Short mmCIF file of all heavy atoms in Angstrom, two decimals:
data_model
loop_
_atom_site.label_atom_id
_atom_site.label_comp_id
_atom_site.label_asym_id
_atom_site.label_seq_id
_atom_site.Cartn_x
_atom_site.Cartn_y
_atom_site.Cartn_z
N GLU A 81 78.27 61.95 106.15
CA GLU A 81 79.14 61.66 107.27
C GLU A 81 79.96 62.85 107.77
O GLU A 81 80.62 62.81 108.81
CB GLU A 81 80.07 60.50 106.97
CG GLU A 81 80.91 60.67 105.70
CD GLU A 81 80.30 59.90 104.54
OE1 GLU A 81 79.05 59.97 104.38
OE2 GLU A 81 81.07 59.28 103.79
N ASP A 82 79.88 63.93 107.03
CA ASP A 82 80.53 65.19 107.47
C ASP A 82 79.65 66.00 108.46
O ASP A 82 80.10 66.97 109.03
CB ASP A 82 80.87 66.09 106.29
CG ASP A 82 81.91 65.48 105.37
OD1 ASP A 82 82.86 64.87 105.88
OD2 ASP A 82 81.80 65.60 104.12
N SER A 83 78.45 65.51 108.65
CA SER A 83 77.53 66.18 109.58
C SER A 83 78.09 66.08 110.99
O SER A 83 78.43 65.01 111.46
CB SER A 83 76.15 65.50 109.54
OG SER A 83 75.56 65.67 108.27
N ALA A 84 78.22 67.21 111.64
CA ALA A 84 78.81 67.32 112.98
C ALA A 84 78.78 68.79 113.38
O ALA A 84 78.42 69.64 112.61
CB ALA A 84 80.27 66.80 112.99
N THR A 85 79.19 69.04 114.62
CA THR A 85 79.41 70.40 115.11
C THR A 85 80.94 70.66 114.93
O THR A 85 81.77 69.86 115.40
CB THR A 85 78.97 70.62 116.54
OG1 THR A 85 77.54 70.46 116.57
CG2 THR A 85 79.32 72.04 117.01
N TYR A 86 81.28 71.78 114.34
CA TYR A 86 82.67 72.15 114.12
C TYR A 86 82.98 73.33 115.08
O TYR A 86 82.35 74.36 115.05
CB TYR A 86 82.90 72.54 112.65
CG TYR A 86 82.85 71.32 111.76
CD1 TYR A 86 81.61 70.85 111.30
CD2 TYR A 86 83.97 70.57 111.49
CE1 TYR A 86 81.52 69.73 110.51
CE2 TYR A 86 83.91 69.41 110.71
CZ TYR A 86 82.68 69.00 110.22
OH TYR A 86 82.57 67.84 109.49
N LEU A 87 84.01 73.11 115.86
CA LEU A 87 84.43 74.07 116.88
C LEU A 87 85.75 74.73 116.48
O LEU A 87 86.67 74.05 116.00
CB LEU A 87 84.64 73.40 118.23
CG LEU A 87 83.45 72.65 118.82
CD1 LEU A 87 83.86 71.87 120.06
CD2 LEU A 87 82.30 73.62 119.17
N CYS A 88 85.83 76.02 116.73
CA CYS A 88 87.07 76.82 116.49
C CYS A 88 87.56 77.23 117.88
O CYS A 88 86.77 77.52 118.79
CB CYS A 88 86.76 77.99 115.62
SG CYS A 88 88.08 79.15 115.38
N ALA A 89 88.87 77.26 118.04
CA ALA A 89 89.48 77.72 119.30
C ALA A 89 90.79 78.42 119.02
O ALA A 89 91.45 78.16 117.99
CB ALA A 89 89.69 76.52 120.24
N VAL A 90 91.17 79.33 119.96
CA VAL A 90 92.41 80.08 119.82
C VAL A 90 93.26 80.00 121.06
O VAL A 90 92.69 79.88 122.17
CB VAL A 90 92.22 81.55 119.41
CG1 VAL A 90 91.53 81.64 118.05
CG2 VAL A 90 91.42 82.30 120.46
N ARG A 91 94.54 80.10 120.90
CA ARG A 91 95.43 80.27 122.04
C ARG A 91 96.27 81.49 121.76
O ARG A 91 96.86 81.60 120.74
CB ARG A 91 96.35 79.02 122.20
CG ARG A 91 97.32 79.14 123.33
CD ARG A 91 98.00 77.86 123.61
NE ARG A 91 99.03 77.99 124.64
CZ ARG A 91 100.34 78.15 124.41
NH1 ARG A 91 100.74 78.15 123.14
NH2 ARG A 91 101.15 78.30 125.41
N GLY A 92 96.27 82.40 122.73
CA GLY A 92 97.01 83.63 122.60
C GLY A 92 98.19 83.67 123.57
O GLY A 92 98.24 82.84 124.45
N TYR A 93 99.03 84.61 123.39
CA TYR A 93 100.18 84.73 124.28
C TYR A 93 99.81 85.10 125.68
O TYR A 93 100.52 84.77 126.61
CB TYR A 93 101.17 85.79 123.69
CG TYR A 93 102.02 85.20 122.59
CD1 TYR A 93 101.71 85.44 121.28
CD2 TYR A 93 103.16 84.48 122.89
CE1 TYR A 93 102.48 84.91 120.25
CE2 TYR A 93 103.95 83.99 121.90
CZ TYR A 93 103.63 84.19 120.57
OH TYR A 93 104.39 83.66 119.58
N SER A 94 98.68 85.77 125.88
CA SER A 94 98.27 86.19 127.21
C SER A 94 97.56 85.07 127.95
O SER A 94 97.29 85.20 129.19
CB SER A 94 97.40 87.43 127.13
OG SER A 94 96.17 87.08 126.48
N SER A 95 97.18 83.99 127.31
CA SER A 95 96.31 83.00 127.95
C SER A 95 97.08 81.74 128.41
O SER A 95 96.48 80.75 128.71
CB SER A 95 95.17 82.58 127.01
OG SER A 95 95.66 82.09 125.80
N ALA A 96 98.40 81.86 128.37
CA ALA A 96 99.28 80.75 128.91
C ALA A 96 98.93 79.44 128.18
O ALA A 96 98.94 79.40 126.96
CB ALA A 96 99.14 80.64 130.42
N SER A 97 98.56 78.42 128.95
CA SER A 97 98.30 77.13 128.32
C SER A 97 96.84 76.89 128.01
O SER A 97 96.46 75.80 127.65
CB SER A 97 98.84 76.01 129.22
OG SER A 97 98.28 76.16 130.52
N LYS A 98 96.01 77.91 128.18
CA LYS A 98 94.59 77.76 127.96
C LYS A 98 94.22 78.09 126.50
O LYS A 98 94.87 78.90 125.86
CB LYS A 98 93.83 78.70 128.87
CG LYS A 98 93.99 78.40 130.38
CD LYS A 98 93.23 79.39 131.21
CE LYS A 98 93.85 80.73 131.20
NZ LYS A 98 93.15 81.65 132.14
N ILE A 99 93.17 77.47 126.03
CA ILE A 99 92.58 77.88 124.74
C ILE A 99 91.12 78.24 124.91
O ILE A 99 90.46 77.74 125.83
CB ILE A 99 92.81 76.79 123.66
CG1 ILE A 99 91.98 75.54 123.92
CG2 ILE A 99 94.25 76.45 123.49
CD1 ILE A 99 92.09 74.57 122.77
N ILE A 100 90.70 79.17 124.09
CA ILE A 100 89.33 79.69 124.18
C ILE A 100 88.52 79.14 122.97
O ILE A 100 88.96 79.30 121.87
CB ILE A 100 89.31 81.26 124.11
CG1 ILE A 100 90.29 81.78 125.19
CG2 ILE A 100 87.90 81.77 124.31
CD1 ILE A 100 89.95 81.44 126.63
N PHE A 101 87.37 78.58 123.31
CA PHE A 101 86.53 77.94 122.25
C PHE A 101 85.37 78.86 121.85
O PHE A 101 84.81 79.58 122.67
CB PHE A 101 85.92 76.64 122.78
CG PHE A 101 86.88 75.48 122.79
CD1 PHE A 101 87.74 75.28 123.85
CD2 PHE A 101 86.89 74.62 121.71
CE1 PHE A 101 88.64 74.23 123.80
CE2 PHE A 101 87.81 73.54 121.66
CZ PHE A 101 88.66 73.34 122.71
N GLY A 102 84.99 78.78 120.56
CA GLY A 102 83.77 79.34 120.10
C GLY A 102 82.64 78.35 120.41
O GLY A 102 82.86 77.24 120.83
N SER A 103 81.41 78.84 120.12
CA SER A 103 80.22 78.00 120.47
C SER A 103 79.88 76.96 119.37
O SER A 103 78.98 76.15 119.56
CB SER A 103 79.06 78.84 120.82
OG SER A 103 78.77 79.75 119.74
N GLY A 104 80.62 77.04 118.23
CA GLY A 104 80.44 76.02 117.23
C GLY A 104 79.46 76.29 116.11
O GLY A 104 78.57 77.12 116.26
N THR A 105 79.63 75.60 115.01
CA THR A 105 78.63 75.61 113.89
C THR A 105 78.15 74.18 113.72
O THR A 105 78.95 73.25 113.53
CB THR A 105 79.28 76.11 112.57
OG1 THR A 105 79.60 77.47 112.72
CG2 THR A 105 78.27 75.88 111.44
N ARG A 106 76.82 74.02 113.80
CA ARG A 106 76.23 72.68 113.64
C ARG A 106 75.94 72.48 112.17
O ARG A 106 75.08 73.14 111.57
CB ARG A 106 74.94 72.60 114.46
CG ARG A 106 74.41 71.23 114.68
CD ARG A 106 73.30 71.23 115.73
NE ARG A 106 72.18 72.16 115.37
CZ ARG A 106 71.95 73.28 115.96
NH1 ARG A 106 72.76 73.76 116.89
NH2 ARG A 106 70.92 74.04 115.57
N LEU A 107 76.65 71.54 111.55
CA LEU A 107 76.54 71.28 110.11
C LEU A 107 75.76 70.00 109.86
O LEU A 107 76.04 68.99 110.46
CB LEU A 107 77.94 71.14 109.51
CG LEU A 107 78.00 70.83 108.01
CD1 LEU A 107 77.44 71.97 107.17
CD2 LEU A 107 79.46 70.53 107.58
N SER A 108 74.77 70.13 108.98
CA SER A 108 73.96 68.95 108.60
C SER A 108 73.95 68.83 107.10
O SER A 108 73.66 69.77 106.38
CB SER A 108 72.53 69.16 109.11
OG SER A 108 71.69 68.14 108.71
N ILE A 109 74.32 67.63 106.66
CA ILE A 109 74.38 67.33 105.22
C ILE A 109 73.27 66.30 104.84
O ILE A 109 73.25 65.21 105.33
CB ILE A 109 75.74 66.73 104.81
CG1 ILE A 109 76.90 67.61 105.38
CG2 ILE A 109 75.85 66.57 103.27
CD1 ILE A 109 76.94 69.02 104.79
#
Side-chain angles (χ1 to χ4, degrees):
Chain A
E81 54 261 42
D82 295 321
S83 296
T85 296
Y86 290 86
L87 302 172
C88 174
V90 296
R91 178 169 176 262
Y93 279 97
S94 67
S95 58
S97 55
K98 297 179 288 185
I99 66 174
I100 308 300
F101 282 86
S103 55
T105 293
R106 194 169 59 254
L107 177 66
S108 176
I109 309 297

